[in-house]
Amino acid sequence: MGKQNDEIAADRVLSVEEGAEIKQRIAAQRSLKRWRWMGNYGDPSQAAAVANQDPPCVAGEVMFTINGNLTPAWMFY
């Protein structure tokens, strides 16, 4: 099964800069808000930094968990 251009591989670890760029690019292409997989980050503060990038996620629009030394994140935008 091939992945679409806006999908992030489940095993990929992103930097804040990469996550913010992906988020802005996807948001510019889409007008409908929906939950999106936003990749893994090194810690919760990095995932929160991406969530606060334009377009910012508000309360209830970010989910992340701790999985060992990774922070998988989903955002609604």
Side-chain angles (χ1 to χ4, degrees), residues 8 14 24 32 36 41 44 48 60 73 77:
I8 300 167
L14 301 172
Q24 289 173 353
L32 179 65
R36 301 174 199 284
Y41 296 89
Y77 66 95

Side-chain angles (χ1 to χ4, degrees), residues 26-27 29-36 76-77:
I26 292 171
Q29 296 171 355
R30 313 264 188 212
S31 59
L32 179 65
K33 289 178 83 170
R34 66 179 177 98
W35 282 103
R36 301 174 199 284
F76 188 77
Y77 66 95

Side-chain angles (χ1 to χ4, degrees), residues 2-3 5 7 11 14 23-26 34 37 45 47 53 56-59 63 65 69 72-73:
K3 67 179 192 165
N5 291 337
E7 290 183 9
D11 60 349
L14 301 172
K23 183 180 178 189
Q24 289 173 353
R25 180 174 39 83
I26 292 171
R34 66 179 177 98
W37 165 246
S45 64
Q53 294 291 320
C57 295
V58 297
M63 293 189 317
T65 186
N69 59 353

